[in-house]
Amino acid sequence: MSRTTAAPAVRPYRSYVYAYPHKTAYRPLPDRPALRELWASERKDALSLYLHIPFCEVRCGFCNLFTRIGAPGELTTRYLDALDRQAVAVRDALGDAEPVRFAAAAFGGGTPTFLTAVELERLCDIAEKRMGADLRAVPLSVETSPSTATADRLAVLADRGTTRISIGVQSFVEAEARAAVRPQHRADVESALDRIRDVGVPVLNIDLIYGIDGQTEDSWHTSLDAALRWRPEELYLYPLYVRPLTGLGRLGAEARADEEEAADAAWDRQRLRLYRAGRDHLLAHGYEQVSMRMFRRADAPRTDGPDGHACQTDGMIGLGCGARSYTSRLHYSFDYAVEMREVRAIIDGYTTAEDFSRAEVGRYVDGDEARRRHLLQSVLQAEGMALADYRERFGSLPADDFPAELARFEERGWLDTGAGTSGLLRLSPEGLAHSDALGPELFSPGVRAAMAAYELK
Ligand SMILES: C[S@@+](CC[C@H](N)C(=O)[O-])C[C@H]1O[C@@H](n2cnc3c(N)ncnc32)[C@H](O)[C@@H]1O
Ligand code: SF4
């Protein structure tokens, strides 16, 4: 049991599984299937709608999301024009043979509030008038950042029916924000939080990051307590990842290769320690754990719906050049990149495109992949997965389909062995802490190979 100096037995931070299969497993679809055919046999009465805005004021050092800084000329106008054209084409492809209804909507990015208040009105119009989503009647989640969460934009969002605002704070400690290459002043963050509370949107989510260079348990508590002052309905605690082609990734690439392993092991220990400290702190302050990253205030109102990034239910319409769409058989999107020049080229291509009637890049999710996806979506939730739901959908149990993986997880103490009697497959607290190691072990060989062969650009 001694684990004070040795590295954890299994590296805990391999990758965040927020969607399976990952976009890097998507490939150009040679037949470019027509959306009209793809959606013909799908249920369309409880779809999710996701609108992606790939613009930010700054490029944070840790961020590998599909986004660019600045928008020269009339780029945001051209982008919204393209979004409008895409919405018309996609709505047309959904047809009118059966009822088409959106049960939830989200605007993500990037930073949707990079758009002006007038542009946000237009974004809502696209969702409502082109797609037919009734934004005031369904959960609507919007991502924002401290510098763009201005009163006029928030007023538009609240008026149009936003039920959840999610703001990236990352750290209330300015030195840590600098170390993460996320330049911001605490006072500006706090006034943004005041403005969000003033506008009265029911759910406020705050994103924080742990594992930043120089962060200690004390400074982590400083950030957690600062966030708790706003009694946010939700808090996301993200372990820091340093990924290729990001600002921090480039800095790291220049660092010492021979010391890398020891440094990584120490960093794993730091992140695990801060994870446990953060989890315990929030549990002690009236929050319940929903997943490794997500915590919800136990007395918060429930406005259930997708949170932009995590929505994984079948039947998702993504609009915008970084958005994914899911039918029950095919997940599809546009090309993906991190490197600035490539991102710009893809956005430019999107804004000039006229034909949005086909799926260009994606991956089919067949029988085996659907089982993996079901398992990944539910077992990484703290409440666990109902075995009866799995059996009803697939006619088998996870233990029949994934015996080696589950035996391995059990051996490592990652499963709550008592949950079976309640009809659940559920992770133990250690299993939840190792979500980012456990999830990738459930990827299929095909998806792994595609992800490994993907050339990041
Ligand atoms: C779209 S951003 C949030 C909204 C807004 N763009 C902002 O940054 O304020 C999504 C969140 O993912 C988290 N995130 C992104 N990349 C990360 C990384 N490499 N390591 C840890 N967390 C990360 C951050 O907490 C970030 O707030
Ligand atoms: S963290 Fe947010 S603001 Fe920073 S680059 Fe990523 S999407 Fe943009």
Side-chain angles (χ1 to χ4, degrees), residues 209-256:
I209 294 183
Y210 56 91
I212 300 171
D213 207 12
Q215 196 174 30
T216 63
E217 231 165 288
D218 273 355
S219 70
W220 180 223
H221 275 121
T222 302
S223 273
L224 291 164
D225 286 334
L228 287 174
R229 276 189 39 219
W230 276 270
R231 301 278 297 142
E233 285 69 25
E234 294 172 10
L235 272 157
Y236 266 78
L237 310 186
Y238 286 93
L240 178 65
Y241 275 91
V242 174
R243 299 191 177 93
L245 301 188
T246 60
L248 290 180
R250 288 176 208 277
L251 285 174
E254 291 156 16
R256 60 311 107 168

Side-chain angles (χ1 to χ4, degrees), residues 253-275:
E254 291 156 16
R256 60 311 107 168
D258 52 336
E259 289 168 20
E260 217 160 85
E261 196 140 322
D264 282 352
W267 188 32
D268 284 347
R269 286 194 300 276
Q270 180 207 17
R271 284 179 290 181
L272 268 180
R273 201 169 54 242
L274 295 176
Y275 163 76

Side-chain angles (χ1 to χ4, degrees), residues 53 55-69 109-111 143-146 168 170 181-182 209 309:
I53 304 299
F55 303 110
C56 292
E57 290 196 319
V58 291
R59 180 70 174 181
C60 306
F62 51 83
C63 186
N64 71 341
L65 296 174
F66 183 86
T67 188
R68 62 161 291 167
I69 45 172
T111 308
E143 289 170 5
T144 191
S145 70
Q170 328 308 357
V181 194
R182 162 83 172 197
I209 294 183
H309 286 290

Side-chain angles (χ1 to χ4, degrees), residues 160-211:
R160 301 299 293 254
T162 302
T163 54
R164 176 180 184 268
I165 296 258
S166 175
I167 183 166
V169 169
Q170 328 308 357
S171 174
F172 283 86
V173 178
E174 288 185 11
E176 286 174 12
R178 269 198 304 281
V181 194
R182 162 83 172 197
Q184 66 188 11
H185 295 293
R186 178 168 175 168
D188 297 336
V189 173
E190 299 195 318
S191 23
L193 287 164
D194 279 338
R195 288 192 295 274
I196 294 172
R197 276 315 197 195
D198 285 348
V199 87
V201 166
V203 175
L204 162 66
N205 173 69
I206 297 180
D207 288 341
L208 296 175
I209 294 183
Y210 56 91

